[in-house]
Amino acid sequence: MAHRYQPVGYQNRPVAHRPLCTSQVRQQRFRRSRHGLDPAEVDGFLHRIADELAVLHAELARTREENARIKGALHDWQSRFAPRVVRV
């Protein structure tokens, strides 16, 4: 089973308002009509979108990890070098 991307803060949103994950795009199906779109072309485009989403989700995860690392380093630096405030 594919891992479902679930960004922090979106758990309580209605499904229609959550960011799309790659599997949702890949599995999306449309009704066929007599003069409808070419199914192969639609599927190809959906897979292209899903691939781009996968890249963006990975980039976002790396950015969040880097952000957490930088915040931790800043906190450590501030703990060691920032002047201490003494409250009376």
Side-chain angles (χ1 to χ4, degrees):
M1 185 170 158
H3 172 68
R4 227 186 122 158
Y5 174 73
Q6 189 67 270
V8 175
Y10 288 95
Q11 292 85 354
N12 296 323
R13 284 192 180 185
V15 173
H17 299 289
R18 291 183 186 157
L20 289 174
C21 66
T22 56
S23 63
Q24 287 174 300
V25 174
R26 289 184 199 285
Q27 295 170 2
Q28 179 64 48
R29 297 294 174 250
F30 301 94
R31 287 181 293 215
R32 296 179 189 232
S33 69
R34 189 171 180 209
H35 301 286
L37 302 173
D38 177 8
E41 190 176 353
V42 171
D43 286 343
F45 187 70
L46 289 174
H47 282 280
R48 178 179 168 197
I49 291 170
D51 291 343
E52 289 185 24
L53 272 175
V55 170
L56 291 172
H57 288 317
E59 177 78 20
L60 181 58
R62 281 191 301 274
T63 301
R64 286 181 171 152
E65 289 170 7
E66 182 180 10
N67 186 30
R69 183 186 57 77
I70 291 170
K71 283 182 177 181
L74 176 60
H75 178 72
D76 291 346
W77 183 89
Q78 286 173 330
S79 297
R80 284 183 277 157
F81 299 107
R84 306 241 184 238
V85 177
V86 179
R87 296 186 181 169
V88 181

